[in-house]
Amino acid sequence: MSQTVERGSIGQEVLRKEDRKFLIGKGRFVDDMHLPGELHAIFVRSPHAHADITAIDISAGKGMQGVVAILTGADMEADAIGHIPFMWIMNDSDGSPMKQPPRWGLARGRVRHVGEPVAVVIADTAANAADAADCIAVDYTSLPAVTNSRASLAAGAPQIHDEAPDNRIFSTGRGDAAAVDTAIANAPIVIELELVNNRIACAAIEARACLAIHDPVADTTTLYDATQAPHLIRRSVTEALGIPPAKLRVVAPDVGGGFGTKGKHYPEETIVVWAARRIGRPVRWISTRSEAFISDTQARDHLTTATLALDNNGIFLGLRVNTLANMGAYISTFGASIPGAIYSALLAGVYRTPAVYVEVTGVLTNTVPTDAYRGAGRPEACYVLERLADAAARKLGMDRAEVRRRNLIPANAMPYTTPIGPTYDTGDFPNIMEKLLIAADWNGFSARRAESGKSGKFRGIGLAMYVETSGVAPSKLAGMMGARIGFFESAEIRIDGDGGVQLLAGTHNHGQGHDTTYAQIIASKLGLSFDAVTVVEGDTEKVQMGTGTFGSRSIAVGGSAISMAADKIIEKGRKIAAHLMEAAEEDVGFADGIYAISGTDRKMSLAEIADVANLGHVLPRGVEPGLNESAFYDPSNFAYSNGGHVVEIEIDPDTGCIELQRYYVVDDIGTVINPMIVHAQIHGGLAQGIGQALTESAAYDPDSGQILSGSFMDYGIPRADDLINFKGELDESQPCTHNPLGAKGCGESGSIGSPAALVGAVLDALEPIGVTDIEMPLTPLRIWQAMQVGDKG
Ligand code: MCN
């Protein structure tokens, strides 16, 4: 489709340039790649949640058709392969590092969750490998399992790792516990809630996939990997294998959705690279959907006790939050940091509660490990705070918006340092809420409720305000909090002699529209054509360094690196232009791609300068040929995106079914690069937040530890008719103050406020019949059951 893109196109609704290949079926995913002589890996996985492995007999599989190798934990041990590395080591409150039980690529002696890899069969076809895998005999002695974090901490619970007595990985506290105790002791009103944040699974359209190709001559391996963070994978795999990073190239081609779940390192990646190096032939592994449910990281799974002290006017005085975060059977790449660092930091939220204390305990259970999934810690924090705000309003008999109005941090308090650490640079939370209430016609709700009542329906309205840490994050702070990687981003801009631009960026586009928005930034900064920009991401051999795409960081951090590299291009070009036009550098201005000498008609375009730079014939003394510049940007703070959600629902009292009626959001994501992409990002986030609230639950049988939702027959991914077209507004009045674009992230925004708003709406609908609490997901059965209890009450 043709479109005219202005050169200063920041803020323009430019259609996504990367979509054409997908629309004509020419995307290139790992599964599309095939090599002569390639082999297929099929994993033998534990059917037990907790068991000792007493014997593994591979003999029956060994001679089977097409089988090239059958490898077990013993082979990995013999090859001295290390454990799957942690990339974030949370500290306990006393400063001691979290417990670090090793996670071996293939189990050694014991399995701790259903789906844990025990052996891998490598054969000429996937079918032959699967047949042989069926013939491998593993003897297990099953052990008692535990899936719930409270039960796991209880006396007598099965012990999951020797390294972590009582199944406790870390306990971290933030804030002033004594001040909170005093506030609670002296407050006229104290509210306490027990909250469950349900466990959810990711369901990206493309399941995980890897293909490793070893070059025995150079002794280097290339891993094609469906990942969001190729440099992180290179670091993790080479660390586990004990080889230098230069021996591994990781390429993330087109990736069919990541949502955080592909932003970490998994055993299969290390195993496929190890096997390819060992056998000397390409080895591929494509996850099945069933495997995804028992091997992809899952998310949320918090049990929280939250206590809010307030005065009779609804002013919040103190907040205590105690959360047990279910880590699963092993600590995934960033698993500990999601509740320990991200969630815990956000529990002041948008409110000026003077005293806050948060304690988070990471707990092992016999379940799939948990880690980041869209929102990663922020939906959990928002859920706690907004449920409390609603409960406060109910207790006081006050309008839910009014309670919030009385407690929101005002814009003139910015920059605002919360009692638990973060300093918000900008944000006008009251303004966002008032805009939202007007857009959603909050005050006109009672008429709509009455109207629904005429047809026998219960109608409810929910409100949730949020602030989040997007643009993850300052490396120094992350390092202090236990990160083992930096969180900067890199960009390199190469300008050809004809004005064509190649951008190499350390982020990875798997649906976010980077090719388009990055080109908009470059076209705007350099005054070059949008169409002239080519974006390269996702290849450790081409891109100097990168952290990857997660934590809604690509624009705020990666975009800022691009902006800085563009500034360097402009400055180098200015030197050349001054030399060629025989002027002083300070007299040469730059705007819209043109260098001009003020007060004269002498000018040269950046494309002309690029030509000169790339020829190198007439450069000023000391200026190197070429017009390539690179920049590393490390933010000094998070970008605090914020906003609010209002949702209206109807409940059918006969069935407990919910129908979404109206959905409004107002978001402050600072400077908006492409409003159309942002709208779509918020839409996607909403779908996932609505999914968590209404239909999704990664459930386990508490006795056996078997997953009960191991396929789409049991796991409720929301369908189109569960969702709704939302109305959204972007408020650009509060740009981020510490990055050159003024941008905050938006990739996760939709998922953050939606669960709290929906639960608020359902409780509002059911309040007339006495229902005051309900757990997600809000399935028809759960709502119907709550209505029966509420009725009696
Ligand atoms: N954008 C903008 N103006 C801003 C902020 C963002 O125009 N002020 C645009 C960006 O240019 C980018 C998109 O919105 O094209 C998202 O930007 P950003 O908020 O920086 O988020 P990231 O690009 O870093 O993407 C990560 C984020 C996360 S954490 C998850 S999870 C997620 C999400 O993006 N996973 C996704 N969106 C997804 N979308 C798709 N299709 N697939 C996924 O797996």
Side-chain angles (χ1 to χ4, degrees):
M1 196 179 294
S2 74
Q3 59 177 338
T4 308
V5 182
E6 295 157 21
R7 292 195 170 199
S9 66
I10 287 185
Q12 202 187 325
E13 299 214 320
V14 179
L15 290 177
R16 302 203 321 182
K17 54 160 70 184
E18 56 264 65
D19 285 349
R20 188 168 182 277
K21 65 178 171 184
F22 298 120
L23 292 172
I24 60 171
K26 297 288 183 201
R28 195 150 185 264
F29 300 86
V30 174
D31 197 25
D32 295 323
M33 299 172 187
H34 290 282
L35 285 132
E38 69 181 12
L39 300 170
H40 299 253
I42 294 284
F43 285 89
V44 176
R45 295 180 182 276
S46 169
H48 294 273
H50 200 190
D52 280 329
I53 300 172
T54 47
I56 303 178
D57 182 0
I58 61 169
S59 54
K62 256 185 160 174
M64 286 178 69
Q65 188 182 345
V67 172
V68 173
I70 300 176
L71 302 169
T72 65
D75 297 305
M76 289 193 99
E77 196 169 358
D79 280 1
I81 307 300
H83 67 83
I84 302 301
F86 314 101
M87 284 299 160
W88 197 303
I89 296 175
M90 276 304 304
N91 283 341
D92 264 22
S93 298
D94 65 6
S96 57
M98 73 179 196
K99 305 293 183 298
Q100 293 159 51
R103 180 186 192 186
W104 304 110
L106 294 169
R108 297 188 187 175
R110 183 173 282 191
V111 285
R112 297 176 174 87
H113 70 87
V114 172
E116 182 170 348
V118 173
V120 61
V121 181
I122 294 165
D124 59 348
T125 66
N128 284 341
D131 285 347
D134 281 347
C135 297
I136 291 174
V138 185
D139 289 342
Y140 295 99
T141 304
S142 108
L143 298 166
V146 62
T147 60
N148 169 289
S149 35
R150 191 160 288 135
S152 183
L153 289 179
Q159 292 299 287
I160 297 171
H161 289 276
D162 295 342
E163 295 81 357
D166 306 327
N167 298 329
R168 202 185 61 87
I169 285 292
F170 67 87
S171 278
T172 183
R174 256 178 202 270
D176 185 339
V180 172
D181 287 346
T182 308
I184 291 173
N186 297 328
I189 302 173
V190 174
I191 291 164
E192 186 166 297
L193 294 181
E194 295 285 338
L195 299 169
V196 179
N197 205 297
N198 46 324
R199 183 182 271 246
I200 46 181
C202 181
I205 290 177
E206 184 202 18
R208 287 190 294 123
C210 333
L211 166 62
I213 305 148
H214 186 57
D215 174 348
V217 178
D219 189 32
T220 54
T221 311
T222 300
L223 173 67
Y224 291 94
D225 192 14
T227 179
Q228 301 170 219
H231 286 88
L232 171 82
I233 301 306
R234 182 180 65 170
R235 157 93 186 268
S236 305
V237 172
T238 54
E239 196 172 308
L241 297 185
I243 57 173
K247 295 277 177 203
L248 182 66
R249 172 186 179 194
V250 179
V251 183
D254 290 327
V255 172
F259 308 111
T261 302
K262 290 186 188 141
K264 45 225 49 134
H265 170 47
Y266 290 91
E268 292 86 352
E269 289 159 323
T270 284
I271 292 167
V272 164
V273 173
W274 167 60
R277 291 175 69 85
R278 204 177 137 115
I279 298 166
R281 285 171 65 180
V283 177
R284 59 195 285 119
W285 170 70
I286 310 293
S287 169
T288 63
R289 185 61 63 183
S290 300
E291 278 180 297
F293 278 110
I294 52 171
S295 69
D296 288 4
T297 53
Q298 300 179 344
R300 320 281 200 260
D301 203 340
H302 284 193
L303 301 178
T304 294
T305 305
T307 312
L308 178 69
L310 57 159
D311 72 13
N312 290 320
N313 294 317
I315 303 297
F316 300 168
L317 304 172
L319 170 67
R320 174 187 279 280
V321 178
N322 283 81
T323 293
L324 303 182
N326 192 334
M327 303 277 86
Y330 297 96
I331 307 306
S332 174
T333 311
F334 297 124
S337 70
I338 306 304
I342 306 279
Y343 161 77
S344 67
L346 275 173
L347 280 159
V350 288
Y351 304 115
R352 53 182 163 181
T353 316
V356 180
Y357 181 70
V358 183
E359 199 164 279
V360 179
T361 301
V363 186
L364 291 166
T365 62
N366 296 111
T367 59
V368 175
T370 55
D371 206 317
Y373 169 73
R374 204 170 197 164
R378 290 92 98 195
E380 297 92 306
C382 175
Y383 189 67
V384 171
L385 292 164
E386 297 306 276
R387 288 289 309 270
L388 284 167
D390 280 357
R394 188 175 298 119
K395 181 94 175 176
L396 293 160
M398 196 182 273
D399 176 59
R400 283 167 289 159
E402 183 56 27
V403 167
R404 288 169 169 85
R405 196 172 281 126
R406 292 181 185 196
N407 289 285
L408 288 173
I409 300 161
N412 63 13
M414 299 292 168
Y416 177 87
T417 300
T418 71
I420 45 175
T423 298
Y424 307 149
D425 59 335
T426 56
D428 189 345
F429 309 148
N431 174 45
I432 295 284
M433 190 176 80
E434 297 311 327
K435 276 189 168 178
L436 178 66
L437 297 177
I438 290 166
D441 187 24
W442 178 263
N443 292 334
F445 172 70
S446 53
R448 295 191 293 279
R449 171 177 261 176
E451 200 54 37
S452 296
K454 285 183 195 160
S455 48
K457 302 274 175 64
F458 291 117
R459 192 175 184 111
I461 190 167
L463 164 66
M465 301 295 296
Y466 78 90
V467 59
E468 63 140 327
T469 39
S470 73
V472 172
S475 299
K476 188 174 171 191
L477 178 67
M480 276 160 34
M481 294 179 72
R484 291 189 60 235
I485 61 165
F487 283 90
F488 53 81
E489 206 44 82
S490 95
E492 183 185 349
I493 298 177
R494 300 176 182 168
I495 312 227
D496 297 333
D498 65 351
V501 184
Q502 200 181 34
L503 166 71
L504 298 104
T507 47
H508 183 266
N509 184 10
H510 40 278
Q512 290 87 351
H514 294 171
D515 290 13
T516 305
T517 43
Y518 287 176
Q520 285 180 264
I521 293 172
I522 290 181
S524 293
K525 291 272 315 186
L526 298 182
L528 296 171
S529 155
F530 169 83
D531 293 322
V533 183
T534 308
V535 178
V536 176
E537 288 179 296
D539 186 337
T540 59
E541 203 167 83
K542 292 183 180 161
V543 178
Q544 51 193 353
M545 193 53 202
T547 301
T549 285
F550 48 81
S552 301
R553 61 190 304 282
S554 299
I555 275 301
V557 189
S560 295
I562 295 168
S563 173
M564 284 168 59
D567 285 337
K568 290 185 182 177
I569 295 272
I570 294 169
E571 287 319 308
K572 181 167 180 183
R574 195 191 309 277
K575 283 193 173 60
I576 300 170
H579 175 70
L580 295 175
M581 294 192 283
E582 296 177 339
E585 251 180 74
E586 49 279 16
D587 292 337
V588 179
F590 180 77
D592 299 331
I594 304 291
Y595 291 98
I597 301 173
S598 46
T600 75
D601 60 357
R602 277 185 291 162
K603 54 188 174 191
M604 289 186 80
S605 70
L606 179 58
E608 287 173 288
I609 298 293
D611 192 29
V612 172
N614 281 299
L615 281 172
H617 295 168
V618 285
L619 293 177
R621 192 183 298 273
V623 172
E624 294 169 7
L627 201 49
N628 295 4
E629 291 292 342
S630 77
F632 284 70
Y633 175 72
D634 198 344
S636 59
N637 196 351
F638 293 94
Y640 292 98
S641 313
N642 62 87
H645 294 218
V646 166
V647 58
E648 259 177 72
I649 54 105
E650 262 186 3
I651 296 175
D652 180 337
D654 294 331
T655 62
C657 283
I658 295 179
E659 205 174 298
L660 303 187
Q661 298 291 324
R662 295 151 64 99
Y663 208 118
Y664 296 86
V665 300
V666 178
D667 287 288
D668 160 12
I669 58 156
T671 307
V672 178
I673 312 298
N674 185 324
M676 184 184 61
I677 291 181
V678 169
H679 189 83
Q681 283 292 309
I682 293 170
H683 204 167
L686 277 176
Q688 287 174 299
I690 292 170
Q692 171 170 21
L694 299 190
T695 59
E696 297 184 44
S697 171
Y700 288 82
D701 177 69
D703 298 321
S704 66
Q706 293 293 328
I707 190 155
L708 301 173
S709 49
S711 80
F712 286 141
M713 293 299 287
D714 305 301
Y715 190 83
I717 284 293
R719 317 274 167 107
D721 63 353
D722 294 314
L723 303 172
I724 187 171
N725 269 331
F726 76 107
K727 290 209 166 52
E729 198 179 320
L730 297 171
D731 183 312
E732 290 189 75
S733 68
Q734 307 289 318
C736 178
T737 54
H738 53 77
N739 70 46
L741 294 171
K744 310 175 186 178
C746 71
E748 293 161 283
S749 317
S751 67
I752 296 170
S754 35
L758 269 159
V759 173
V762 165
L763 290 178
D764 181 50
L766 300 181
E767 191 175 11
I769 57 166
V771 177
T772 55
D773 190 20
I774 194 159
E775 269 179 32
M776 298 186 289
L778 304 164
T779 57
L781 175 65
R782 197 165 262 170
I783 290 185
W784 191 84
Q785 285 171 334
M787 286 166 62
Q788 312 315 304
V789 177
D791 260 335
K792 287 183 199 115

